[in-house]
Amino acid sequence: MKKIILAILALLMAARSYPQDYLVEIPTENAKDIGRISRAVSIDNARNGTITAYANENELVELRKILSQSQFRSYRMSLSKSGDYIDMADKIEDMKDWAHYPTYETYIEMMEDFTRRCPELCELVEIGKSVENRKILALRLTAEGDTTARPRFFLTSTMHGDETCGFILSLRLIDYLLTNYGTDSATSRILDNIVLYINPLSNPDGTYRGGNATVARAQRYNANNIDLNRNFPQIGAVAKSTSSYEPETVAMMDFAKSRRFTMSANMHGGDEVLNYPWDSFYEYELSLPDKPWFEAICSKYIATLRAHAPNAMKSVNAKGYVFGSEWYKVSGGRQDWMMASQRCREITIELSNIKLLRCDLLDEYWQRNRDALIAFLGDALQGISGRVTSMDGKPIEAQIYLDGHDANFSSVKCDKEGMFFRPTLAGRQYEVCAVADGYETQCKPVSTTENELTALDFTLNEGISEYTATENIAVKTSKPAITIIDDMMTATSDLEIDRLIVTDILGRTVATYRPHSTTFRCPTYNFNSGIYVIRIQTGTTATSTKIFINK
């Protein structure tokens, strides 16, 4: 009896450890409300008139609230995958031919071994821990020198645990960079001038769902059965506490916030295409000022890749790259969060039509992507860079705007050292403005050069920032109005006023209010006579207005 009970318990544990998912197919003519559908289920791709998605039991219930049963097809699928052509390496030596997947322990050992091989070039960084307490690791790669003056690049892979091509490509890229530094000019240029972070595996629980010894039972979701690439804050949504997000997501957000990345790429599988922002908005809803820049770097990647594989990257369109929402809308994706929240220019690289790539194909995908990845990393070294300081030399965490160009989160932010890096197209002329609360705005002209970071520093005087940058999502609104009658200031706005700040002529804060209404009134009899600046924040729009109080 005891053996029978143990057997039943083992089966129950297995059932809980390997939850059943559904494969969902939705004809595109039925997907009228694609935004709501993408919030209900995890869309994987859209091709040949059909949207393919994944769903767990709860997500399927939500989908049935949007579509009738006749409008989509769902298939229960097992997470068990064939072990054919999936060869595992349980020690580092077995990875030398790059025709294996490492066990989890071997992966950890490989990351540690890179630092032992080249301590002067790389450092192991722990981003965080997964639900099941596996490590989420990155290697920081850069040559010795003044790293504060180098842009930061983040390359990450396998948020979806069964999309494993990028996992091996990332490890092999690390090995290639370390091996060829000092002898290959392109590799040396990257490590001499960029601080590069490579995170080969951001969903270890999904990849090692079948245990640390195999990837054959890998699944898309994390251990909580959540799609991590639908788990990031949505642009314009009400902020939620970190308890609303998965530990892998929180760790990744904290990591990005602490580094101020210039560029990043997120490697996936299941299609072959480069995807750039926005994923969660159509272009008419939220324009992308840097669209020509995104298309230029994507086109360069595709051209370099197709020199090795002429028919690659054609599963979505002939160009090989796509504006995210033109393919399909995604809610809660990391790409949009990185762009809007961190001002980091991120693209998604869908590497292979096959998700769990067979070991005998791993080398082929490395050969086709290697030069394209190296060139893509080098794209961080074209644009404008500089430092913003005060008159007494202190760094200022200013925002940098290309005047008349930037909107909708395309400006960049200085780091704590006052450094900024602004990728741009070459051969362009810009008026660049440094903007910071409590300082006078300063603008300078600049011309950009091919494959160079043009230096442009700013020294700001204390005073009033009068620069207005509008970042509207879908809704066009009029500028908030300020009136003063009989010692009473009234602010009115089409949108809810989140915050109203009053500063004096020297930029010092006099008062801060959080009205959370479209109309706000406050007395001015406590203010001295003089010039003041009223800064109003409404959603993602910030405007400044000068007023004069005369008593």
Side-chain angles (χ1 to χ4, degrees):
M1 178 61 71
K2 186 176 180 180
K3 291 182 178 180
I4 294 173
I5 292 173
L6 289 173
I8 292 172
L9 286 173
L11 288 171
L12 289 173
M13 289 295 290
R16 187 173 64 180
S17 299
Y18 302 102
Q20 297 295 302
D21 281 341
Y22 290 89
L23 180 68
V24 178
E25 293 179 348
I26 307 168
T28 52
E29 64 265 22
N30 295 336
K32 305 300 183 186
D33 193 352
I34 187 64
R36 192 177 173 199
I37 290 172
S38 70
R39 289 190 292 273
V41 297
S42 177
I43 295 177
D44 184 51
N45 63 54
R47 64 167 79 131
N48 301 325
T50 300
I51 293 172
T52 302
Y54 293 94
N56 56 35
E57 291 282 359
N58 292 334
E59 291 167 335
L60 204 60
V61 169
E62 292 302 313
L63 182 62
R64 292 190 181 111
K65 296 177 183 178
I66 305 168
L67 299 175
S68 66
Q69 193 64 49
S70 63
Q71 291 180 301
F72 70 92
R73 297 179 294 275
S74 61
Y75 309 92
R76 184 179 288 275
M77 58 179 231
S78 171
L79 291 173
S80 298
K81 293 180 171 67
S82 172
D84 294 345
Y85 304 105
I86 302 298
D87 296 323
M88 302 301 298
D90 56 13
K91 53 184 181 294
I92 291 180
E93 291 74 18
D94 293 340
M95 289 297 297
K96 289 182 178 179
D97 61 1
W98 297 106
H100 296 73
Y101 287 102
T103 63
Y104 173 72
E105 288 79 11
T106 301
Y107 163 60
I108 299 299
E109 189 179 351
M110 289 178 71
M111 296 289 279
E112 293 171 345
D113 187 63
F114 287 133
T115 63
R116 287 192 291 266
R117 281 172 47 189
C118 302
E120 72 285 1
L121 291 175
C122 62
E123 173 190 358
L124 188 61
V125 179
E126 185 171 312
I127 296 173
K129 294 283 182 63
S130 67
V131 172
E132 296 181 336
N133 209 38
R134 292 186 176 94
K135 294 179 180 180
I136 304 171
L137 299 176
L139 272 181
R140 178 183 183 272
L141 298 114
T142 195
E144 294 176 339
D146 182 12
T147 59
T148 62
R150 298 174 187 175
R152 301 179 189 93
F153 199 113
F154 187 35
L155 187 66
T156 181
S157 183
T158 316
M159 288 182 76
H160 294 148
D162 60 348
E163 298 172 10
T164 53
C165 181
F167 179 25
I168 301 303
L169 261 61
S170 296
L171 290 168
R172 195 161 182 180
L173 178 62
I174 294 168
D175 181 74
Y176 181 87
L177 292 170
L178 296 179
T179 301
N180 290 279
Y181 176 73
T183 58
D184 175 72
S185 59
T187 298
S188 299
R189 178 172 179 258
I190 289 168
L191 295 186
D192 283 338
N193 297 285
I194 294 172
V195 179
L196 173 62
Y197 290 82
I198 300 181
N199 160 233
L201 184 60
S202 53
N203 181 10
D205 292 353
T207 299
Y208 292 103
R209 189 60 178 167
N212 289 350
T214 183
V215 303
R217 295 177 68 109
Q219 73 167 17
R220 179 184 182 89
Y221 294 169
N222 74 342
N224 284 337
N225 218 24
I226 299 295
D227 187 332
L228 296 178
N229 204 32
R230 308 292 186 268
N231 192 234
F232 282 79
Q234 175 69 19
I235 300 174
V238 176
K240 297 188 290 185
S241 68
T242 55
S243 62
S244 303
Y245 302 105
E246 293 300 296
E248 296 92 342
T249 306
V250 174
M252 199 62 71
M253 290 194 294
D254 290 344
F255 184 70
K257 289 174 184 176
S258 68
R259 261 78 179 175
R260 188 67 69 197
F261 290 114
T262 303
M263 289 174 58
S264 60
N266 192 356
M267 294 193 287
H268 286 257
D271 256 307
E272 293 185 10
V273 70
L274 270 60
N275 173 32
Y276 62 91
W278 303 105
D279 279 335
S280 50
F281 292 95
Y282 294 119
E283 194 172 0
Y284 72 83
E285 294 176 311
L286 190 66
S287 65
L288 183 69
D290 280 354
K291 183 178 180 181
W293 177 85
F294 275 103
E295 293 195 334
I297 64 165
C298 288
S299 178
K300 178 181 173 182
Y301 190 106
I302 296 301
T304 307
L305 177 143
R306 287 181 179 169
H308 298 275
N311 294 316
M313 292 285 186
K314 293 183 178 179
S315 67
V316 173
N317 59 31
K319 293 187 302 183
Y321 56 88
V322 64
F323 187 98
S325 60
E326 290 179 6
W327 187 17
Y328 60 86
K329 268 194 170 185
V330 165
S331 177
R334 198 189 85 169
Q335 178 172 268
D336 283 8
W337 180 83
M338 287 289 281
M339 179 71 183
S341 173
Q342 301 304 301
R343 310 302 167 90
C344 170
R345 280 133 181 84
E346 175 163 300
I347 69 168
T348 298
I349 306 176
E350 297 277 354
L351 290 164
S352 61
N353 289 322
I354 306 167
K355 285 178 173 289
L356 187 60
L357 203 63
R358 294 177 354 215
C359 289
D360 60 334
L361 295 176
L362 291 172
D363 183 65
E364 176 186 331
Y365 280 84
W366 163 251
Q367 297 300 333
R368 68 166 65 174
N369 283 280
R370 185 195 68 189
D371 292 346
L373 284 169
I374 295 293
F376 179 57
L377 297 177
D379 287 332
L381 296 173
Q382 178 176 290
I384 307 163
S385 70
R387 192 164 185 253
V388 182
T389 57
S390 62
M391 294 297 291
D392 57 1
K394 294 180 180 178
I396 300 173
E397 293 185 57
Q399 285 206 64
I400 305 299
Y401 292 89
L402 305 185
D403 195 39
H405 172 89
D406 279 329
N408 300 338
F409 314 104
S410 63
S411 63
V412 298
K413 300 177 181 179
C414 296
D415 62 19
K416 291 181 180 179
E417 301 298 324
M419 291 297 304
F420 71 89
F421 302 92
R422 190 6 168 133
T424 67
L425 293 170
R428 303 297 174 96
Q429 293 184 336
Y430 298 101
E431 187 78 5
V432 185
C433 299
V435 182
D437 287 340
Y439 294 90
E440 294 179 359
T441 297
Q442 187 178 120
C443 298
K444 293 182 179 182
V446 70
S447 299
T448 56
T449 307
E450 189 81 27
N451 295 323
E452 287 186 14
L453 282 172
T454 303
L456 189 68
D457 294 333
F458 294 89
T459 303
L460 304 186
N461 290 310
E462 290 186 359
I464 298 172
S465 171
E466 298 185 61
Y467 194 87
T468 299
T470 302
E471 317 217 51
N472 286 333
I473 299 178
V475 181
K476 300 294 182 181
T477 60
S478 59
K479 183 177 179 179
I482 301 289
T483 58
I484 297 179
I485 301 174
D486 297 332
D487 286 336
M488 183 63 67
M489 180 175 69
T490 302
T492 58
S493 171
D494 293 342
L495 299 176
E496 182 179 284
I497 300 172
D498 298 318
R499 187 167 63 162
L500 187 149
I501 303 172
V502 182
T503 60
D504 64 15
I505 192 65
L506 296 177
R508 295 174 299 194
T509 300
V510 175
T512 299
Y513 306 97
R514 297 182 181 276
H516 297 296
S517 63
T518 56
T519 301
F520 172 70
R521 292 182 177 87
C522 71
T524 61
Y525 52 76
N526 288 328
F527 297 164
N528 296 323
S529 295
I531 298 174
Y532 293 85
V533 172
I534 311 299
R535 183 176 177 84
I536 297 177
Q537 180 80 32
T538 55
T540 54
T541 301
T543 59
S544 297
T545 303
K546 275 184 181 179
I547 64 170
F548 179 68
I549 296 177
N550 185 23
K551 295 186 177 181

